[in-house]
Amino acid sequence: MDKQHGSRLSELFGSLGSFFRKCMFCILSMGPIPNHFAFIMDGNRRYAKKEKLEEGAGHRAGFSVLMSMLKYCYELGVTYVTIYAFSIENFKRKPDEVQSLMDLILEKIEGLLKEESIVNKYGIRVYFIGNLKLLSEPVRVAAEKVMKATAKNTKCVLLICMAYTSCDEIVQAVHESCKNKWEEIQPCNSHKSCSGRVEEVDGKSIDDGSGHSVQELFGVQTNELRATRASTLCNDVAEGVEMSDKKSGVVGHAVHGSCDKWGEVQSLEASRIGDDVIPNVKSEKLLEDLSILKVVDIESHMYMSVAPNPDIVIRSSGETRLSNFLLWQTRNSLLYSPNALWPDMRLWHLVRAVLDFQRILQKKEKQS
């Protein structure tokens, strides 16, 4: 009898809480609603220590809070939510702790596939973001299974950053961008000559029966080589890094993603090669354009290219550090740092972040 009475009371309070949230969210919806929330879930271990709980209990309490926060976000109308679940740096923790976390993560990932899970309730598409090959095979397979199972969901998006750091993301994006640029400026991509084939270069027909490429005959290969060397000077977009090409003796300096040293490298290479270079203005211009690495090239290869930049980053426990999380994407994001540890986070912390976001946007509109 008492259990039945308690169950009814619980349902009643649950209904009242849901009604209260709907009223509050309707009021908040009168202003702009963030499209993308990002969470740094800090303080799980400190919470366990504070509450004198066993090891790992803090992370389980944190997961329960995460489910509530996701529900609040999607009820509010937020489309994208990103969570910092496991950093590459976390692999440096004690092996027992890392294994315990991996076991918990595997359990919760598998739980996302259950019919009654929040993923199915709200039609959420799940992405696992990061260097996934660093994860154990069971976790990686489970993550891939969830991504495949939710691929057709279109209402909301959940991005789970695992084996992730922003530095790793930027490095791999630059690597992939340079690799693509290299493929674009390969000489065989523009002109190829086969035995007995007639090619046209700058309006002139060339009959090359020897099977050599037209680039070899007209110096385009040399130009391509110089373009390639120029493009390699762009391999660091975050900071200026001085690099040298020992073969050619060319030293360049790439700063903040720009590659404005093309002319200098070109002239240096031309003076080094001398009379072997045959001018080809059109090819020079084409290769120059192709060799420039743009910001959009790098951003298209980011792990986070599947989502817009976050509007708000919430880090619990009062810390204002980003801890190598979305450094590229958060340059214009609002950072909200409540003092509460992650398992202590509640609805009003989220509401406060939204109100701050709306206030700042209104202030910007008045100034403009």
Side-chain angles (χ1 to χ4, degrees):
M1 187 72 177
D2 289 340
K3 287 183 179 180
Q4 192 176 22
H5 182 66
S7 177
R8 287 178 180 175
L9 280 176
S10 179
E11 288 178 9
L12 176 62
F13 282 118
S15 299
L16 286 173
S18 180
F19 175 75
F20 173 73
R21 281 200 312 275
K22 285 181 180 178
C23 293
M24 185 184 298
F25 291 165
C26 282
I27 296 171
L28 286 174
S29 297
M30 299 298 290
I33 298 297
N35 187 45
H36 188 172
F37 264 102
F39 292 100
I40 302 175
M41 303 177 291
D42 190 21
N44 290 323
R45 291 189 296 175
R46 278 172 281 171
Y47 175 84
K49 188 175 181 180
K50 182 187 73 172
E51 300 294 330
K52 297 179 180 179
L53 302 173
E54 62 182 9
E55 188 175 344
H59 292 287
R60 290 188 177 275
F63 180 81
S64 178
V65 170
L66 172 62
M67 292 298 102
S68 296
M69 285 294 173
L70 290 177
K71 180 174 70 174
Y72 300 153
C73 285
Y74 296 133
E75 286 180 357
L76 181 58
V78 176
T79 304
Y80 296 89
V81 175
T82 300
I83 60 172
Y84 201 6
F86 195 86
S87 167
I88 291 176
E89 299 296 323
N90 291 149
F91 284 112
K92 297 178 182 178
R93 294 181 180 180
K94 293 184 293 183
D96 290 346
E97 184 181 355
V98 173
Q99 186 58 51
S100 176
L101 281 171
M102 287 294 112
D103 292 342
L104 177 61
I105 288 170
L106 179 60
E107 175 190 328
K108 300 307 179 183
I109 290 175
E110 290 175 342
L112 292 176
L113 292 173
K114 293 180 180 178
E115 189 174 345
E116 69 276 10
S117 74
I118 190 172
V119 167
N120 293 315
K121 183 178 180 180
Y122 291 97
I124 302 170
R125 180 169 187 175
V126 180
Y127 289 96
F128 285 87
I129 303 295
N131 197 344
L132 301 185
K133 65 178 180 286
L134 297 179
L135 298 172
S136 64
E137 186 176 354
V139 174
R140 186 173 63 253
V141 169
E144 291 170 353
K145 191 175 179 180
V146 169
M147 286 192 284
K148 185 178 180 180
T150 63
K152 294 183 179 179
N153 292 351
T154 57
K155 291 182 180 179
C156 314
V157 177
L158 173 62
L159 302 106
I160 303 174
C161 293
M162 290 184 58
Y164 172 92
T165 63
S166 194
C167 289
D168 178 71
E169 178 183 29
I170 293 170
V171 167
Q172 74 82 29
V174 173
H175 178 269
E176 290 298 319
S177 300
C178 290
K179 181 180 175 183
N180 279 6
K181 284 295 177 185
W182 167 263
E183 292 171 354
E184 285 178 11
I185 61 179
Q186 287 301 299
C188 292
N189 288 348
S190 54
H191 300 290
K192 274 188 176 180
S193 176
C194 300
S195 179
R197 183 176 173 181
V198 177
E199 294 268 346
E200 185 170 295
V201 179
D202 292 342
K204 296 181 179 180
S205 294
I206 308 297
D207 188 357
D208 177 26
S210 64
H212 294 292
S213 68
V214 178
Q215 291 87 334
E216 291 174 341
L217 298 177
F218 278 80
V220 179
Q221 185 183 43
T222 303
N223 295 330
E224 180 275 339
L225 180 61
R226 296 206 304 277
T228 302
R229 284 176 176 153
S231 71
T232 60
L233 299 178
C234 299
N235 67 349
D236 193 318
V237 297
E239 298 177 89
V241 179
E242 195 172 81
M243 299 156 289
S244 63
D245 183 338
K246 292 181 180 179
K247 267 190 174 180
S248 63
V250 177
V251 177
H253 197 241
V255 181
H256 299 295
S258 67
C259 193
D260 53 1
K261 295 294 184 181
W262 165 262
E264 294 178 26
V265 174
Q266 192 179 38
S267 60
L268 282 168
E269 285 289 298
S271 63
R272 185 179 68 83
I273 297 170
D275 296 336
D276 291 335
V277 178
I278 300 177
N280 189 324
V281 176
K282 290 184 180 180
S283 297
E284 292 281 354
K285 179 61 178 173
L286 174 62
L287 292 169
E288 179 182 353
D289 292 341
L290 286 174
S291 66
I292 296 174
L293 194 62
K294 300 181 178 67
V295 170
V296 68
D297 298 325
I298 297 170
E299 289 183 336
S300 67
H301 289 95
M302 290 282 189
Y303 296 140
M304 288 292 294
S305 62
V306 295
N309 292 343
D311 298 298
I312 303 177
V313 178
I314 296 181
R315 175 165 186 160
S316 54
S317 78
E319 294 285 351
T320 56
R321 295 174 291 110
L322 289 176
S323 296
N324 218 340
F325 177 58
L326 304 185
L327 301 181
W328 185 285
Q329 296 85 359
T330 55
R331 53 192 177 274
N332 296 316
S333 303
L334 169 67
L335 177 61
Y336 176 55
S337 305
N339 290 323
L341 301 175
W342 178 253
D344 289 325
M345 292 285 287
R346 296 295 180 266
L347 173 62
W348 57 82
H349 294 112
L350 187 70
V351 172
R352 171 65 186 275
V354 174
L355 289 173
D356 283 352
F357 173 76
Q358 293 178 343
R359 177 178 55 81
I360 290 171
L361 283 187
Q362 289 174 356
K363 187 177 179 180
K364 287 182 178 179
E365 287 176 2
K366 288 180 180 178
Q367 290 175 347
S368 60

